Amino acid sequence: MSDHTAGQPATPGAAPEGIDPSVLDELTRLRDSIDNIDAAVVHMLAERFKCTQQVGHLKAAHRLPPADPAREGRQITRLRQLAESAKLDPGFAEKLLNFIIAEVIRHHETIARSDNGPEGPEGAFR
């Protein structure tokens, strides 16, 4: 029994039988673009999380709550509008942002528990 999916090459990089080489070239070009975009998305998310980590430390130092529901609501509305303008499903954009927000809040809660805050190790975050 073969370990590859029907219609796909048996070895990576091998062309399936009967597929026009120009089609494979276009497929490779598009997949390379997708890979580059994925890399850019990961790097952008890393930058975003660097900023939100700084926000988390600032909130912890000033005893602000990890979550800000009013800001989250504004961000969801804003992102849905951006998604519509970009011809992206606004529901998908909202789900993505909600996932990111949940992770940010989790980070902020962890920071609040671990930061010494302005009062030192015996501060309000222990």
Side-chain angles (χ1 to χ4, degrees):
M1 179 169 191
S2 175
D3 66 346
H4 70 281
T5 304
Q8 292 184 347
T11 57
E17 286 185 39
I19 302 292
D20 186 322
S22 66
V23 171
L24 291 176
D25 288 345
E26 180 68 1
L27 184 60
T28 299
R29 185 190 68 74
L30 291 167
R31 287 179 172 167
D32 287 347
S33 292
I34 291 167
D35 293 350
N36 288 335
I37 293 166
D38 288 346
V41 167
V42 167
H43 287 285
M44 292 300 295
L45 283 171
E47 285 301 310
R48 188 186 197 287
F49 278 105
K50 286 177 189 174
C51 291
T52 61
Q53 291 286 0
Q54 292 174 0
V55 168
H57 288 287
L58 187 62
K59 284 180 171 184
H62 295 279
R63 291 184 236 138
L64 297 170
D68 184 345
R71 164 128 171 103
E72 293 160 21
R74 290 189 306 272
Q75 285 296 93
I76 289 168
T77 298
R78 180 178 155 272
L79 196 68
R80 286 184 68 89
Q81 291 169 345
L82 287 170
E84 286 178 24
S85 296
K87 307 287 189 245
L88 179 67
D89 176 11
F92 170 79
E94 183 173 347
K95 287 177 192 174
L96 177 62
L97 186 60
N98 281 327
F99 179 78
I100 291 169
I101 288 170
E103 185 68 6
V104 168
I105 291 169
R106 188 182 67 76
H107 290 177
H108 288 185
E109 290 168 345
T110 300
I111 291 167
R113 284 191 303 272
S114 64
D115 268 13
N116 292 333
E119 300 173 8
E122 302 303 315
F125 308 114
R126 295 274 179 227

